[in-house]
Structure formats: structure tokens, C-alpha cells
Amino acid sequence: MRTLDLALIGFGGVNRALAKAIGTRPERFADHGLELRVVAITDLALGTLQAVDGIDLGRVLALPRGATFAEFPGGSATADSESVIRNGTAEVIVEATFTNPLDGEPALSHLRWAIASGKHVVTTNKGPIALHGAELTELALGHGVELRFEGTVMSGTPVLRFAREQLVGLEVLGVQGILNGTSNYVLGRREAGLTLEEAVAEAQSLGYAEADPTADIGGSDARLKVAILANEVLGAKLTPDQVVTVGIDAVSEDDLASAAREGRHWKLIGSAHREDDGRIVAEVRPRALAADHPLASISGATNAVTFLTDMLGPVTVSGPGAGRDETAYALIADILSIHATTAGLVRV
Ligand SMILES: NC(=O)c1ccc[n+]([C@@H]2O[C@H](COP(=O)([O-])OP(=O)(O)OC[C@H]3O[C@@H](n4cnc5c(N)ncnc54)[C@H](OP(=O)(O)O)[C@@H]3O)[C@@H](O)[C@H]2O)c1
């Protein structure tokens, strides 16, 4: 049995769900010859806790609101991600702080520090990967460490790994996806007769939409995911600002009515394809899809990606695109993949 030591950077919804999964279902990992041990957690609100023999995750998860790690032996109320990453004993850094779409920080620094310190990295953070994915991948290669970010697109639903592992030998000509559950839910409710404001309020009451839904409605959340998909699957070198982005607020009542007459469904589609001259063109735009389009029937908060391939035609993967447990699963899959790769079991 191999013991793999983890440091959790950020202890919000996703890393808590990971800690719960590690603490409550160790057999999930033991089946793969692996014991996961969390040796450090650092978080702005909670502070920093390190224990080389492993942190008691049950006790950490039971901390009452407002408490900090200062009440643990050796714990402190101050976050110190740099020291945990650079000087700690973890072999794998699990980065799950907030997504910053402008410059990727502080996660970008977290990833650079980890790689430069010779540590493997898993992250669900779209910001640094969409903005600096190529640089980070190169850096990881140079330092002989693994970098995985499955959860940045469609949470735990395997999309990046699916393309890499299951579409080998095929040419992927393009990708099209419903990459934001909130906007898909809102468009569906607008088709049912609600106004944009009513549909957004309903999505917020159900916990799908943030208090500030701008990134969902305006398409900037999907834009980050399209940049990651285009770069990973099509080998593009796009930054998010090169992805032309139109949000679902551009869809009018008239647009909805005429689509309904034609049996079409409005969806916010993130897409990327290769032009004849080899350039990759990517965009996020509402489109009225014919009923037989593979993405037309994706409803509610579900996400989906269709890979347009030369020998199979369209291949579609659908599943949850958000959620704490769902996104924590992406981290689990990435950690197991790193275990397999570094143990020489299989190259993935
Ligand atoms: N939840 C999902 O469904 C989902 C899906 C896909 C991807 N993701 C991505 O996964 C990441 C984590 O999501 P989440 O839902 O867990 O977010 P969250 O609940 O907001 O957690 C982020 C945590 O990171 C902490 N943090 C921020 N800056 C830090 C720093 N410099 N050092 C240490 N800790 C820091 C925050 O502390 P404070 O709260 O005190 O600021 C917070 O506890 C985000 O990038 C998100 O976009 C989430």
C-alpha cells in the first residue's frame, strides 16, 4: 500500500468534499493500493494546520463556524499557502481556492510554487489553467511532475480525460458544449415562459446561480472552459480574451418565440474548431439548435460536450457540470491518475 501525502490549499466546498471522501471511504483508494493522507490544510478563514502523520479530517470537518486552526496543536489562524506548498511534506498539492478570471491569482502562484518545488498538482481552478495552461504544463514537464485539472471543465464528468484516453487515434475536428448549468437552466425556464429576471431568481433560489450571476449569464464562465477545451483537445494556444463571447441576455422574447415555432431550442454553446488554414477559432454564443442536434435535449443544469470526430462523427459526454462532491470527484480521479502514472502502473 502506498501512502500519498496531500496538502489542501483552500478549504471551501470542494476541498471539504474531498476531505470527507478521503475520511469516510478509504476503500475507494485502497482498492488502488493507495492510502491518502492529508498533511496540511491552509485557508484564508481557517488558517494553517500541518501534521506530518496526517490530519484528523473528522475533527477538522466538525469545526464550528467561526473557529480556526489555532485551536489545534501546532495550528495557526493565519493562512500561509506559500510555506505549506514550498516547505511542507506533501507530494501532491490540491489547489481549490477561488477562480480569478483576470489574472488567475492567487492560484497561479500556488501552482507555480508547487511545480517549482517538485510537487504534483491537481486543481479545479479554471483561472490559472485558462490563462496560463500551456506555461504550467511546460513547467511541470520541466520539473518532472504531474499537473491535472479535470475539474476545470464539467466538474467530475470526465471530458478532458475522455478525449485524451478514449478518443485516441481519432481526429477531433471540433468541440461544442453546454458548459454552464445556470445559463442552460435559465434558457429552459425562459422557453417555459419566465422572463430572464424570473428565471435567474428561480435558479438562485435552487442554488444553481450565484448571488451575482454575471459570469453565468454573460458567458464569461463558459469562455474560460472553452479556452481550456480548445487548448487541451485541439492543441490551440488560446487565451480567454480570444474567445468571442455573447451571453444569454442577448436572446430576446422574439428569438424564443421563433425558435419554438421551428422546433428549435436555445442553448449557450461554447465551441472551437479548426479552420482550413489551421487556425483554431473559439466562441461562446447562444444558438437555436435543431431538435436532432446532440445538445438540443440537454436540459436543466446538466452540462454536455460533443466532440466532432473524423471517424465516429459526433460523440457526446453529458453529466453534472458543478457541485461540491461532483467536483471533488475530479480531484479523486486526478489523484488516482497521478498515482498510476508515478507508480509506473500505466501512463495516462
Ligand atoms: N463548486 C463547484 O461546483 C465547482 C465546480 C468546478 C470548479 N470549481 C472551482 O473549484 C475551486 C474551489 O471551489 P469551491 O466551491 O470550493 O470554492 P469556495 O467554497 O469559495 O472555496 C475556496 C476557498 O479557498 C480559500 N482561499 C482563497 N484564497 C486563499 C489563499 N490565498 N490561501 C488559502 N485559501 C484561500 C477561501 O477562503 P475564504 O472563503 O475565507 O475567502 C475558500 O475557503 C474554485 O476555483 C471553483 O471555481 C468549483
Side-chain angles (χ1 to χ4, degrees):
M1 185 78 71
R2 175 189 188 188
T3 300
L4 200 56
D5 287 348
L6 312 179
L8 310 188
I9 313 302
F11 202 55
V14 172
N15 262 347
R16 281 173 190 268
L18 175 66
K20 200 167 128 217
I22 293 171
T24 56
R25 290 280 305 276
E27 68 277 13
R28 203 192 293 274
F29 308 99
D31 288 348
H32 296 264
L34 190 64
E35 180 203 10
L36 292 184
R37 191 164 64 170
V38 176
V39 294
I41 304 175
T42 188
D43 180 88
L44 283 186
L46 292 163
T48 301
L49 183 60
Q50 302 199 65
V52 288
D53 294 331
I55 289 169
D56 179 346
L57 295 175
R59 193 171 159 209
V60 164
L61 286 166
L63 263 185
R65 194 173 283 274
T68 74
F69 290 145
E71 59 189 64
F72 286 73
S76 98
T78 311
D80 191 354
S81 51
E82 182 163 7
S83 171
V84 164
I85 293 169
R86 286 190 191 276
N87 309 324
T89 57
E91 294 158 82
V92 180
I93 303 299
V94 184
E95 214 293 340
T97 63
F98 69 98
T99 286
N100 175 344
L102 301 177
D103 64 10
E105 293 292 1
L108 178 59
S109 292
H110 294 158
L111 302 191
R112 285 182 175 146
W113 293 334
I115 294 167
S117 310
K119 286 158 184 171
H120 306 300
V121 183
V122 296
T123 186
T124 56
N125 198 318
K126 298 173 280 283
I129 302 301
L131 291 161
H132 297 281
E135 173 217 313
L136 292 164
T137 300
E138 186 103 338
L139 199 64
L141 206 61
H143 283 83
V145 298
E146 303 294 326
L147 168 67
R148 299 279 197 281
F149 42 86
E150 181 65 52
T152 57
V153 181
M154 278 178 63
S155 71
T157 305
V159 173
L160 303 178
R161 181 168 293 109
F162 177 81
R164 194 168 56 239
E165 292 177 14
Q166 308 300 327
L167 301 182
V168 283
L170 284 173
E171 188 181 352
V172 179
L173 308 166
V175 287
Q176 300 179 343
I178 293 174
L179 299 167
N180 181 274
T182 302
S183 56
N184 201 50
Y185 180 85
V186 166
L187 279 173
R189 296 301 288 148
R190 287 193 70 196
E191 280 184 336
L194 269 61
T195 65
L196 178 63
E197 291 70 25
E198 288 166 347
V200 168
E202 189 177 276
Q204 284 168 328
S205 71
L206 291 168
Y208 296 148
E210 302 287 333
D212 177 2
T214 317
D216 299 324
I217 303 306
S220 60
D221 173 70
R223 170 166 54 186
L224 296 178
K225 296 167 182 169
V226 167
I228 296 171
L229 266 178
N231 294 343
E232 281 301 299
V233 178
L234 299 177
K237 289 192 166 52
L238 294 179
T239 49
D241 59 355
Q242 293 171 295
V243 180
V244 174
T245 302
V246 181
I248 63 168
D249 41 356
V251 180
S252 68
E253 302 296 326
D254 285 349
D255 293 332
L256 288 161
S258 57
R261 280 195 298 275
E262 295 166 14
R264 292 175 175 269
H265 297 282
W266 281 99
K267 301 289 173 189
L268 183 67
I269 299 298
S271 64
H273 69 275
R274 194 180 302 279
E275 296 276 298
D276 290 342
D277 63 6
R279 272 182 321 124
I280 308 288
V281 176
E283 64 175 20
V284 174
R285 184 185 297 282
R287 287 171 54 182
L289 302 182
D292 60 354
H293 189 287
L295 298 177
S297 59
I298 303 296
S299 62
T302 302
N303 283 198
V305 168
T306 298
F307 298 93
L308 307 168
T309 73
D310 60 344
M311 292 183 74
L312 289 177
V315 177
T316 302
V317 178
S318 77
R324 291 161 181 184
D325 290 330
E326 293 83 346
T327 311
Y329 171 67
L331 295 171
I332 290 172
D334 281 346
I335 291 166
L336 288 173
S337 164
I338 288 178
H339 165 55
T341 304
T342 56
L345 302 178
V346 61
R347 178 80 210 176
V348 285

